[in-house]
Amino acid sequence: MTATALPVAFDPTDPDVMRERVPHEELLAMRRTAPVSWVEQTEAARAGFPDHTGYWALSKHADVAAVSKDQTNFSTRENGVIIRFAPEMTREEVEQTNFLLINHDAPDHTKLRQIVSRAFTPRAINALHDNLKARAEKIVDDALAKGEGNFVEDVAAELPLQAIAELLGVPQEDRGKLFEWSNQMLSYDDPEVEGDQMTAFMEILAYSMALADERRRNPQDDILTRLVTADVQTEGDEESRGLTDDEFGFFMILLAVAGNETTRNAITWGMHAFMQNPEQWEIYRAERPATAVDEIIRWATPVTVFQRTALNDVEVGGVQVRKGDRVGLLYASANFDEDVFEDPFTFDVRRDHNPHQAFGGHGAHYCIGANLARLEVDLIFRALADRGVTVTQLEEPRKLRSAWINGVKELRVAYR
């Protein structure tokens, strides 16, 4: 198979396209005609990557999964996972993102992930269940009492924010700060979102470092203390150390994005899918199938694309990728691959074969908070279904202008 170059006019990461729709028609054409396609980018589209003229777009599930698992031939550290920045992004600013865990390669990534995983053990997540269930029910009850409103802010955003605060000991009254900071860090492509990305980055970093320092001086019996101190021996963790202040700060930045924005958008798109497919809502209310949560997450695919950089000359999907080339993992295409998912464009809460890539594949960078995200999605929709409510869409969703987040700013609904 030979690669086919897409016209420069089309780039799956174009934020103007993503503001209107996920380009499923174009992605389907790629899967059928050129699963590994070269995307030639404009200078503005490749800002921060001055030595690159474009990237290889991987549209098939098998290729996305294979590269996700291949640490030998592909790196996140070389250029980071974010495939497209604002036009004014500099190379120096891209390299500053190397502090984030998701942009580390082994062995540094392995060691740091061992420490961070203390926050996401099954025991830690199970301990949150009853508290988060009560919070989900109150969130839903408060929304119902209003009669109508913006589902994004009233429902979808609240539980992820409260869960992060509960998990890490952040005062609940400060969760609004996390909401604003994460919005500003991710919304550099959207002129409607106020605030400066770098300012938000520095503010959440300073806030998080102060939290870590306080816990180190005044330890408590909580996960935050265990993250920043060396009082827990993790099997295989030779250093048995805690996160430094700056490491914890960068972890919080990642968590604010991965644990807030992505789950918020999964819940929002899940509600949208139920409103567009009322028969699926009736099935969910009657049966509560365990498969529903992963179908919601597949359907939403909150992160549409991440990238890797080739460390060696390597063949992907029959196409030769050269050392140093960037490779785009198109999760929004992989999750609708007809070779893997039966009738992929049908929202089916009973779907029992669902190996979606929405948590970043199953390699070293598989989302460490996947089980927490699943719990939050489950609790919100159970709370809605328990109350026998029917949610009606009042207006079309207002999407975020973003190159890689399938985000919603506003979804006006009524509760009956």
Side-chain angles (χ1 to χ4, degrees):
M1 179 185 296
T2 58
T4 300
L6 293 174
V8 72
F10 177 73
D11 180 345
T13 69
D14 186 339
D16 284 324
V17 172
M18 286 296 300
R19 178 173 53 187
E20 300 299 324
R21 61 189 174 89
V22 177
H24 282 302
E25 290 184 8
E26 292 88 343
L27 296 176
L28 176 60
M30 288 173 62
R31 290 195 299 275
R32 291 179 174 175
T33 62
V36 180
S37 296
W38 178 255
V39 178
E40 188 76 16
Q41 292 184 296
T42 63
E43 185 175 355
R46 60 179 187 265
F49 308 111
D51 298 330
H52 299 260
T53 63
Y55 66 91
W56 293 103
L58 310 188
S59 58
K60 294 293 292 181
H61 186 282
D63 295 331
V64 171
V67 172
S68 296
K69 298 172 185 175
D70 188 351
Q71 294 186 82
T72 300
N73 290 305
F74 293 95
S75 166
T76 62
R77 185 172 182 82
E78 287 295 308
N79 287 296
V81 299
I82 306 303
I83 197 167
R84 182 165 173 162
F85 293 98
E88 61 272 13
M89 190 72 168
T90 67
R91 181 62 195 176
E92 182 181 10
E93 288 171 335
V94 171
E95 291 174 351
Q96 288 173 357
T97 69
N98 284 344
F99 291 108
L100 297 174
L101 174 63
I102 199 170
N103 289 338
H104 288 206
D105 290 335
D108 291 342
H109 175 265
T110 307
K111 292 179 179 179
L112 195 56
R113 186 175 170 112
Q114 282 182 333
I115 302 171
V116 170
S117 66
R118 298 171 188 173
F120 298 98
T121 63
R123 180 180 179 183
I125 301 305
N126 288 338
L128 293 173
H129 181 278
D130 290 350
N131 182 293
L132 293 185
K133 180 175 183 289
R135 291 184 180 279
E137 291 170 347
K138 185 178 187 308
I139 289 166
V140 168
D141 286 341
D142 288 347
L144 298 186
K146 293 173 64 175
E148 64 179 60
N150 179 6
F151 184 85
V152 178
E153 292 187 358
D154 294 342
V155 178
E158 268 299 307
L159 190 60
L161 287 168
Q162 293 186 29
I164 293 171
E166 188 70 26
L167 184 70
L168 295 180
V170 174
Q172 286 290 340
E173 59 268 23
D174 285 349
R175 70 182 187 275
K177 296 178 182 178
L178 295 179
F179 179 82
E180 294 299 329
W181 287 330
S182 64
N183 277 352
Q184 291 166 18
M185 281 189 293
L186 281 184
S187 303
Y188 50 82
D189 278 329
D190 196 321
E192 292 184 4
V193 180
E194 296 181 356
D196 177 73
Q197 181 187 29
M198 190 54 63
T199 300
F201 179 91
M202 296 306 297
E203 286 179 342
I204 194 171
L205 184 62
Y207 178 87
S208 304
M209 291 173 71
L211 270 181
D213 180 64
E214 193 279 331
R215 273 303 194 281
R216 199 172 285 109
R217 289 184 288 106
N218 300 294
Q220 299 179 25
D221 183 19
D222 62 8
I223 288 173
L224 176 51
T225 299
R226 291 194 287 276
L227 282 174
V228 299
T229 61
D231 64 348
V232 175
Q233 178 67 47
T234 303
E235 184 178 351
D237 185 1
E238 297 176 359
E239 298 181 11
S240 187
R241 67 175 181 87
L243 298 174
T244 63
D245 287 356
D246 58 344
E247 285 173 340
F248 178 72
F250 289 119
F251 169 60
M252 276 287 287
I253 289 170
L254 185 61
L255 191 59
V257 173
N260 168 23
E261 295 278 349
T262 55
T263 310
R264 173 207 309 181
N265 288 310
I267 292 170
T268 301
W269 284 122
M271 189 71 261
H272 183 261
F274 278 126
M275 291 187 293
Q276 298 299 307
N277 301 273
E279 76 287 352
Q280 291 296 308
W281 181 241
E282 292 307 315
I283 291 171
Y284 179 79
R285 286 207 298 192
E287 301 177 12
R288 311 294 171 86
T291 51
V293 168
D294 274 304
E295 178 67 349
I296 289 168
I297 292 168
R298 178 193 76 90
W299 188 261
T301 311
V303 173
T304 60
V305 56
F306 272 156
Q307 72 174 359
R308 300 288 190 269
T309 300
L311 294 172
N312 305 293
D313 291 349
V314 60
E315 187 176 289
V316 179
V319 173
Q320 190 67 31
V321 174
R322 299 297 182 187
K323 178 180 179 180
D325 285 354
R326 294 189 297 137
V327 174
L329 309 180
L330 301 180
Y331 305 125
S333 179
N335 284 350
F336 290 82
D337 188 340
E338 55 282 351
D339 288 345
V340 176
F341 303 95
E342 183 179 354
D343 199 7
F345 291 100
T346 295
F347 179 66
D348 179 7
V349 295
R350 292 175 175 148
R351 186 183 298 277
D352 60 1
H353 178 67
N354 198 348
H356 65 76
Q357 300 285 302
F359 289 122
H362 289 276
H365 290 280
Y366 180 78
C367 176
I368 199 169
N371 287 333
L372 177 59
R374 286 189 175 100
L375 175 62
E376 293 167 10
V377 173
D378 181 59
L379 291 175
I380 283 293
F381 285 105
R382 283 183 180 273
L384 285 163
D386 285 347
R387 281 144 183 79
V389 64
T390 297
V391 186
T392 304
Q393 182 174 316
L394 299 178
E395 299 175 8
E396 286 300 306
R398 284 207 312 120
K399 288 199 65 183
L400 179 72
R401 184 181 186 272
S402 171
W404 57 278
I405 290 286
N406 187 20
V408 188
K409 294 183 291 189
E410 186 175 26
L411 178 62
R412 304 292 304 180
V413 301
Y415 306 96
R416 302 286 187 264

Coordinates of all heavy atoms in Angstrom, one line a residue, residues 2-8 10-12 30 34-41 46 51-58 319-322 324-328:
T2 N 0.5 2.2 -0.8 CA 1.3 3.5 -0.8 C 0.4 4.6 -0.1 O -0.8 4.6 -0.1 CB 1.6 3.9 -2.2 OG1 0.3 4.1 -2.9 CG2 2.4 2.9 -2.9
A3 N 1.1 5.5 0.5 CA 0.5 6.6 1.2 C -0.1 7.6 0.2 O 0.5 7.8 -0.9 CB 1.4 7.3 2.2
T4 N -1.2 8.2 0.5 CA -1.8 9.3 -0.3 C -1.8 10.6 0.5 O -2.2 10.6 1.6 CB -3.2 8.9 -0.7 OG1 -3.2 7.7 -1.4 CG2 -3.8 10.0 -1.5
A5 N -1.3 11.6 -0.1 CA -1.2 12.9 0.6 C -2.6 13.5 0.5 O -3.2 13.6 -0.6 CB -0.2 13.8 0.0
L6 N -3.1 14.0 1.6 CA -4.4 14.7 1.6 C -4.1 16.1 1.1 O -3.0 16.6 1.3 CB -4.9 14.8 3.1 CG -5.4 13.5 3.7 CD1 -5.8 13.7 5.1 CD2 -6.6 12.9 2.9
P7 N -5.1 16.8 0.5 CA -4.9 18.1 0.1 C -4.6 19.0 1.3 O -5.1 18.8 2.4 CB -6.3 18.5 -0.5 CG -7.2 17.5 0.1 CD -6.5 16.3 0.3
V8 N -3.8 20.0 1.1 CA -3.4 20.9 2.2 C -4.6 21.6 2.8 O -4.5 22.1 3.9 CB -2.3 21.9 1.7 CG1 -2.9 23.0 0.8 CG2 -1.6 22.6 2.9
F10 N -7.3 20.3 3.8 CA -7.9 19.5 4.8 C -6.9 18.9 5.8 O -5.9 18.3 5.4 CB -8.7 18.3 4.3 CG -9.3 17.5 5.4 CD1 -10.4 18.0 6.1 CD2 -8.8 16.3 5.7 CE1 -10.9 17.2 7.2 CE2 -9.3 15.5 6.7 CZ -10.4 16.0 7.4
D11 N -7.1 19.2 7.1 CA -6.3 18.7 8.2 C -7.2 18.3 9.3 O -8.1 19.1 9.7 CB -5.3 19.8 8.6 CG -4.4 19.4 9.8 OD1 -4.7 18.3 10.4 OD2 -3.5 20.1 10.1
P12 N -7.2 17.0 9.7 CA -8.1 16.6 10.7 C -8.0 17.3 12.1 O -8.9 17.2 12.9 CB -7.8 15.1 10.9 CG -7.1 14.7 9.7 CD -6.4 15.9 9.2
M30 N -10.5 8.3 4.6 CA -9.1 8.0 4.9 C -8.9 6.5 5.2 O -8.0 5.8 4.7 CB -8.6 8.8 6.1 CG -8.3 10.3 5.7 SD -7.9 11.3 7.2 CE -6.4 10.5 7.7
A34 N -6.7 5.5 2.3 CA -5.3 5.8 2.7 C -5.2 5.8 4.2 O -5.1 6.9 4.8 CB -4.8 7.1 2.1
P35 N -5.2 4.6 4.8 CA -5.3 4.6 6.3 C -4.1 5.3 7.0 O -4.3 5.9 8.1 CB -5.2 3.1 6.6 CG -5.8 2.5 5.4 CD -5.3 3.3 4.3
V36 N -3.0 5.4 6.3 CA -1.8 6.2 6.8 C -1.6 7.3 5.7 O -1.1 7.0 4.7 CB -0.6 5.3 7.0 CG1 0.6 6.1 7.5 CG2 -0.8 4.1 7.9
S37 N -2.0 8.5 6.1 CA -2.0 9.6 5.1 C -1.0 10.7 5.6 O -1.0 11.0 6.8 CB -3.4 10.2 5.0 OG -4.3 9.3 4.4
W38 N -0.3 11.3 4.6 CA 0.5 12.4 5.0 C -0.3 13.7 4.9 O -1.0 14.0 4.0 CB 1.7 12.5 4.0 CG 2.5 13.8 4.3 CD1 2.5 14.9 3.6 CD2 3.4 13.9 5.4 NE1 3.4 15.8 4.2 CE2 4.0 15.2 5.3 CE3 3.9 13.1 6.4 CZ2 4.9 15.7 6.2 CZ3 4.8 13.5 7.3 CH2 5.3 14.8 7.2
V39 N -0.3 14.4 6.0 CA -1.0 15.7 6.1 C 0.0 16.8 6.0 O 0.8 17.0 7.0 CB -1.8 15.8 7.4 CG1 -2.5 17.1 7.5 CG2 -2.8 14.7 7.5
E40 N 0.0 17.5 4.9 CA 0.9 18.7 4.8 C 0.2 19.9 5.4 O -1.0 20.2 5.1 CB 1.1 19.0 3.3 CG 2.1 20.0 3.0 CD 3.6 19.5 3.2 OE1 3.8 18.3 3.2 OE2 4.5 20.4 3.2
Q41 N 0.9 20.6 6.3 CA 0.3 21.6 7.1 C 0.9 23.0 6.7 O 2.0 23.2 6.2 CB 0.6 21.4 8.6 CG -0.1 20.2 9.2 CD 0.1 20.1 10.7 OE1 1.3 19.9 11.1 NE2 -0.9 20.3 11.4
R46 N 1.6 24.3 12.0 CA 2.7 23.5 12.6 C 3.5 24.4 13.5 O 4.7 24.1 13.8 CB 3.5 22.9 11.5 CG 4.2 23.9 10.5 CD 5.0 23.1 9.5 NE 5.8 24.1 8.6 CZ 5.4 24.5 7.5 NH1 4.2 24.1 7.0 NH2 6.1 25.3 6.8
D51 N 10.8 22.2 12.3 CA 11.5 21.3 11.5 C 10.6 20.3 10.8 O 11.0 19.4 10.1 CB 12.5 20.5 12.3 CG 13.6 21.4 12.9 OD1 13.9 22.5 12.3 OD2 14.1 21.1 14.0
H52 N 9.3 20.5 10.9 CA 8.3 19.6 10.3 C 7.3 20.4 9.4 O 6.9 21.5 9.7 CB 7.4 19.0 11.4 CG 8.3 18.2 12.4 ND1 8.4 16.8 12.3 CD2 9.0 18.5 13.4 CE1 9.1 16.3 13.3 NE2 9.6 17.4 14.0
T53 N 7.0 19.7 8.3 CA 6.1 20.3 7.4 C 4.7 19.7 7.5 O 3.7 20.2 6.8 CB 6.5 20.2 5.9 OG1 6.6 18.8 5.6 CG2 7.9 20.8 5.7
G54 N 4.6 18.7 8.3 CA 3.3 18.0 8.5 C 3.4 16.8 9.3 O 4.4 16.6 10.1
Y55 N 2.5 15.8 9.2 CA 2.5 14.6 10.0 C 1.8 13.5 9.3 O 1.0 13.7 8.4 CB 1.9 14.9 11.4 CG 0.4 15.2 11.3 CD1 -0.5 14.1 11.5 CD2 -0.1 16.5 11.2 CE1 -1.9 14.4 11.4 CE2 -1.4 16.7 11.1 CZ -2.3 15.7 11.2 OH -3.7 15.9 11.1
W56 N 2.1 12.3 9.8 CA 1.4 11.1 9.3 C 0.1 10.9 10.1 O 0.2 10.8 11.3 CB 2.2 9.8 9.4 CG 3.4 9.8 8.5 CD1 4.7 10.1 8.8 CD2 3.4 9.5 7.1 NE1 5.5 10.0 7.7 CE2 4.7 9.6 6.6 CE3 2.4 9.2 6.2 CZ2 5.1 9.4 5.3 CZ3 2.7 9.0 4.8 CH2 4.1 9.1 4.4
A57 N -1.0 10.8 9.4 CA -2.3 10.6 10.1 C -2.7 9.2 10.1 O -2.9 8.6 9.0 CB -3.4 11.5 9.5
L58 N -2.9 8.6 11.3 CA -3.2 7.1 11.4 C -4.7 7.1 11.7 O -5.2 7.5 12.7 CB -2.5 6.4 12.5 CG -0.9 6.6 12.5 CD1 -0.3 5.7 13.5 CD2 -0.4 6.3 11.1
V319 N 3.2 1.6 5.4 CA 3.9 2.9 4.9 C 5.1 3.1 5.7 O 5.2 2.9 6.9 CB 2.9 4.1 5.1 CG1 3.5 5.4 4.8 CG2 1.6 3.9 4.2
Q320 N 6.2 3.6 5.0 CA 7.4 3.9 5.7 C 7.4 5.2 6.4 O 7.2 6.2 5.7 CB 8.6 3.8 4.7 CG 10.0 3.8 5.3 CD 10.3 2.6 6.1 OE1 9.8 1.5 5.7 NE2 11.1 2.7 7.1
V321 N 7.6 5.2 7.7 CA 7.7 6.4 8.5 C 9.2 6.6 8.9 O 9.8 5.7 9.4 CB 6.8 6.3 9.7 CG1 7.0 7.5 10.6 CG2 5.3 6.2 9.4
R322 N 9.7 7.8 8.6 CA 11.1 8.1 8.9 C 11.3 8.5 10.3 O 10.5 9.2 10.9 CB 11.6 9.1 7.9 CG 11.5 8.7 6.4 CD 12.4 7.5 6.1 NE 12.3 7.2 4.7 CZ 12.9 6.1 4.2 NH1 13.5 5.2 5.0 NH2 12.8 5.8 2.9
G324 N 12.1 10.7 13.2 CA 11.8 12.2 13.4 C 10.5 12.6 12.9 O 10.1 13.7 13.3
D325 N 9.8 11.8 12.1 CA 8.5 12.2 11.7 C 7.4 12.2 12.8 O 7.5 11.3 13.7 CB 8.0 11.2 10.6 CG 8.6 11.3 9.3 OD1 9.4 12.3 9.1 OD2 8.4 10.5 8.4
R326 N 6.5 13.1 12.8 CA 5.4 13.1 13.7 C 4.3 12.2 13.2 O 4.0 12.2 12.0 CB 4.9 14.5 13.9 CG 5.9 15.4 14.6 CD 5.2 16.8 15.0 NE 4.8 17.5 13.8 CZ 3.6 18.1 13.7 NH1 2.7 18.1 14.7 NH2 3.3 18.8 12.6
V327 N 3.6 11.5 14.1 CA 2.5 10.6 13.7 C 1.3 11.0 14.6 O 1.4 11.0 15.8 CB 2.9 9.2 14.0 CG1 1.8 8.2 13.8 CG2 4.1 8.8 13.1
G328 N 0.2 11.2 13.9 CA -1.1 11.6 14.6 C -1.9 10.3 14.8 O -2.3 9.6 13.9

